[in-house]
Amino acid sequence: MTIIHMDISIVIPTFNEKNNVRLITTRIMNILNREDCLYEIVFVDDSSDDTPIVLEQLCHEFSCVKYLHRKNERGLASAVVEGFCHSQGNQIIVMDADLQHPPELIPLILKRLFQADIVIPSRFVPGGSDGGLNLFRKLISGIARGIGRISIKRLRPISDSTSGYFALKRSVIHNAHLDPIGWKILIEILVKGKYRTVHEIPYSFVAREAGESKMSIKEQYNYLRHIARLVNNSPEDRKFYSFCVIGTLGVLINLFCLHIFLKLFDMGELSSSINSSCIAMIHNFLWNNYVTWREYKSQVLWRRIIQFPQFSLICGLGIAITTLFAQIFLFLGWNIYAGQLLGISVSTSWNFFANSRWTWPVAYNETNREDVKPVVTQELPSKMSWY
Ligand SMILES: Nc1nc2c(ncn2[C@@H]2O[C@H](COP(=O)(O)OP(=O)(O)O)[C@@H](O)[C@H]2O)c(=O)[nH]1
Ligand SMILES: [Mg+2]
């Protein structure tokens, strides 16, 4: 038996693309037949129209074409995962069937895939454009990308993390449990994959000529669910949100206790304020110890003893930072609420950083060890003059 060593798999999800699949196949073949490589084009199809018939014809005509038809199943991202399982190439390129992703970029993508683990043709690096989208879609897509970047650390340096056009070495997804919701398979790979380097290439997203977009409001909702699930499963991202939620709860508890001490116990203002702050601080410490940094509780006794005073000291400095901002704004004749708000943002970041660094130091070390920060590079448009 001869074992065929496949170099490249092009995975293409399709839903009702009968007028596009032949075109995309011939354009890819025209390009890859010029390269010295063994390749396959794998369509994963959920269509309810005649697309499977055209795909069947293509399979008979060209040995490099394969297709898989899923009955009663939908989902772009899950189709791509299925494509990963049924393909063999060491290098995988994922692209849409509707020619919005120019196949002419493939040679450059493959060249860059020698140096980088993941290559992303991007609409948002200098030289790229998302001209193929209308203004409303551009706005929605921008907001979606922004939410992803704010929520998930690994997406932050990537300019086009929602791109449907990307390439990766198979080793990136080896042993990764890919379980995406909806459409955006690339964010799943960027969060769960094993990689060191990402390279972005500018390209122009072209307008669709045949067929219509299947993007819907439901898919935007699925995207938010997907982001929420990824955050929940990623300790490095979950920690900060958990810290903020506990901090907000702490403020409410602080105000509630202040009210009780003043009105029910008739205590003085100063002692009511100090007592309620202490209660809130204990509340925050316990929750952070058992939830935010739950994976990193120290086993060393002396460290456990000094943890609470350390936490209080750091948070005390945080209160001083907030007060300082409010006072500076007041001094400059600006709005004190704006100053307080800015102070809260700065002190929250300080509290989180300092407690990660000193109160739960194992967490800090672990985070740094696990999180070998991927290097993200971008192609200079001048290098692409041939394209
Ligand atoms: N297998 C599969 N492919 C899909 C599904 N929805 C969309 N696609 C394909 O995914 C690609 C991108 O979809 P498209 O509607 O062009 O999205 P847009 O470019 O964001 O407007 C196209 O090749 C579609 O045929 C689906 O549910 N299953
Ligand atoms: Mg499209």
Side-chain angles (χ1 to χ4, degrees):
M1 191 176 85
T2 49
I3 295 173
I4 298 172
H5 176 74
M6 190 64 66
D7 296 324
I8 301 151
S9 297
I10 317 268
V11 173
I12 306 180
T14 49
F15 182 77
N16 294 354
E17 301 283 2
K18 64 174 189 285
N19 295 321
N20 285 320
V21 284
R22 179 170 288 277
L23 265 173
I24 186 101
T25 303
T26 46
R27 269 177 69 181
I28 292 172
M29 286 176 66
N30 281 343
I31 288 154
L32 283 179
N33 287 348
R34 278 186 248 137
E35 305 281 317
D36 181 25
C37 65
L38 208 57
Y39 69 92
E40 60 180 355
I41 305 173
V42 181
F43 289 97
V44 185
D45 181 59
D46 297 340
S47 298
S48 52
D49 70 353
D50 289 341
T51 309
I53 298 173
V54 187
L55 289 174
E56 189 71 46
Q57 287 166 357
L58 287 169
C59 283
H60 279 115
E61 284 172 50
F62 309 110
S63 60
C64 64
V65 178
K66 290 180 183 174
Y67 91 97
L68 189 92
H69 181 69
R70 306 193 300 175
K71 273 208 176 96
N72 306 322
E73 209 171 325
R74 280 292 306 272
L76 196 163
S78 67
V80 173
V81 174
E82 197 100 28
F84 291 159
C85 299
H86 288 85
S87 61
Q88 292 171 328
N90 291 325
Q91 293 156 319
I92 307 169
I93 298 178
V94 177
M95 65 195 297
D96 292 354
D98 55 7
L99 301 165
Q100 293 192 282
H101 298 151
E104 288 68 25
L105 205 56
I106 290 176
L108 181 62
I109 292 176
L110 292 173
K111 211 165 148 190
R112 295 296 175 255
L113 210 50
F114 274 116
Q115 295 127 23
D117 296 323
I118 300 179
V119 175
I120 306 172
S122 166
R123 298 162 284 182
F124 308 109
V125 292
S129 96
D130 62 347
L133 287 180
N134 65 35
L135 207 66
F136 180 67
R137 279 289 302 273
K138 276 185 192 173
L139 183 75
I140 297 285
S141 157
I143 293 172
R145 265 193 324 281
I147 292 173
R149 280 174 116 163
I150 290 170
S151 314
I152 299 175
K153 204 171 165 188
R154 277 195 156 199
L155 303 186
R156 244 160 259 168
I158 313 286
S159 72
D160 202 354
S161 58
T162 54
S163 175
Y165 196 10
F166 59 91
L168 61 145
K169 290 181 177 140
R170 190 172 286 277
S171 57
V172 172
I173 49 168
H174 180 68
N175 283 341
H177 175 63
L178 299 178
D179 184 23
I181 303 174
W183 273 37
K184 303 302 178 188
I185 176 66
L186 181 56
I187 59 171
E188 180 88 359
I189 293 169
L190 288 168
V191 172
K192 296 185 178 173
K194 252 198 223 121
Y195 58 96
R196 290 287 172 93
T197 43
V198 179
H199 186 71
E200 295 194 292
I201 302 173
Y203 88 106
S204 295
F205 187 70
V206 196
R208 193 187 244 275
E209 278 181 17
E212 56 187 35
S213 171
K214 286 93 196 174
M215 179 45 91
S216 61
I217 292 292
K218 189 177 162 221
E219 289 311 331
Q220 306 296 348
Y221 170 67
N222 279 338
Y223 174 75
L224 294 180
R225 282 177 54 219
H226 193 185
I227 291 280
R229 189 207 270 180
L230 288 173
V231 168
N232 192 35
N233 290 336
S234 144
E236 72 174 8
D237 293 307
R238 196 194 55 223
K239 266 182 229 158
F240 184 65
Y241 296 106
S242 160
F243 183 77
C244 290
V245 170
I246 290 167
T248 311
L249 266 176
V251 171
L252 295 178
I253 286 173
N254 196 329
L255 293 176
F256 178 73
C257 292
L258 183 71
H259 185 74
I260 300 281
F261 288 140
L262 286 174
K263 302 290 172 199
L264 283 187
F265 293 98
D266 224 6
M267 279 166 67
E269 276 93 359
L270 185 66
S271 51
S272 297
S273 171
I274 292 173
N275 285 339
S276 40
S277 291
C278 287
I279 292 174
M281 204 95 87
I282 294 169
H283 159 273
N284 287 4
F285 175 78
L286 290 176
W287 278 104
N288 279 318
N289 195 41
Y290 289 103
V291 178
T292 311
W293 282 280
R294 65 173 178 242
E295 289 94 349
Y296 307 107
K297 275 203 274 352
S298 178
Q299 303 301 324
V300 185
L301 186 65
W302 69 265
R303 193 169 272 297
R304 289 176 78 161
I305 291 169
I306 66 158
Q307 258 174 341
F308 180 65
Q310 207 169 350
F311 178 80
S312 311
L313 209 70
I314 289 167
C315 294
L317 208 63
I319 293 172
I321 292 172
T322 308
T323 312
L324 184 72
F325 271 88
Q327 289 303 311
I328 291 173
F329 269 55
L330 212 57
F331 179 75
L332 294 172
W334 297 344
N335 189 316
I336 188 175
Y337 288 98
Q340 184 86 352
L341 208 65
L342 189 64
I344 289 173
S345 324
V346 175
S347 66
T348 304
S349 307
W350 151 256
N351 287 347
F352 182 74
F353 169 78
N355 281 308
S356 305
R357 182 81 177 82
W358 294 299
T359 314
W360 288 274
V362 186
Y364 181 78
N365 295 338
E366 284 283 320
T367 311
N368 275 344
R369 190 160 50 75
E370 276 168 17
D371 179 27
V372 184
K373 214 170 154 203
V375 177
V376 181
T377 50
Q378 290 174 352
E379 187 89 12
L380 293 174
S382 59
K383 286 200 176 171
M384 301 181 55
S385 49
W386 59 270
Y387 168 62

